[in-house]
């Protein structure tokens, strides 16, 4: 088991931890929504998730691109971030 963990790249471990945090935040807020049993509070809590989700997405992609920066041209890096921006813009509209 140690050899498997030692073989993981640091960027991958950080990205996994970010996703685990995001999932735990989703589950925690789902539990809070059930506990409060209020539409108003549910909307507030969902707004909080609307901040967390895109932030985790951008951080994960930034870490991945940083890890691959030596292998990617500037053009490809710009295209990746433009794609992320378009995804966020399309979802928000």
């Amino acid at each position: 088991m140690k050899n498997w963990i030692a073989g993981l790249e640091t960027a991958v471990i950080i990205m996994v931890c970010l996703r685990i945090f995001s999932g735990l935040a989703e589950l925690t807020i789902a539990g809070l929504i059930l506990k409060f049993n209020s539409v108003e509070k549910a909307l507030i809590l969902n707004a909080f998730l609307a901040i967390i989700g895109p932030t985790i997405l951008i951080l994960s992609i930034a870490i991945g691109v940083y890890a691959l920066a030596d292998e990617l041209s500037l053009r490809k890096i710009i295209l990746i971030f433009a794609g992320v921006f378009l995804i966020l813009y399309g979802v928000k509209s």
Side-chain angles (χ1 to χ4, degrees):
M1 184 72 166
K2 278 188 173 181
N3 292 337
W4 177 77
I5 293 173
L8 292 176
E9 291 189 36
T10 305
V12 171
I13 293 171
I14 294 170
M15 293 168 76
V16 167
C17 289
L18 284 170
R19 288 295 167 186
I20 290 171
F21 168 76
S22 177
L24 289 173
E26 293 267 352
L27 291 172
T28 301
I29 289 182
L32 289 172
I33 290 171
L34 280 174
K35 178 184 175 188
F36 293 133
N37 193 26
S38 167
V39 174
E40 293 84 12
K41 290 182 182 176
L43 286 173
I44 292 168
L45 292 168
N46 277 320
F48 182 68
L49 283 178
I51 295 168
I52 291 176
T55 304
I56 298 294
L57 172 70
I58 291 168
L59 282 173
S60 292
I61 290 175
I63 291 167
V65 169
Y66 179 77
L68 292 176
D70 296 340
E71 302 171 25
L72 296 175
S73 66
L74 180 61
R75 180 176 173 261
K76 287 184 179 181
I77 292 172
I78 291 170
L79 285 173
I80 291 169
F81 281 108
V84 172
F85 172 77
L86 289 173
I87 290 169
L88 295 173
Y89 180 76
V91 170
K92 190 170 186 171
S93 296

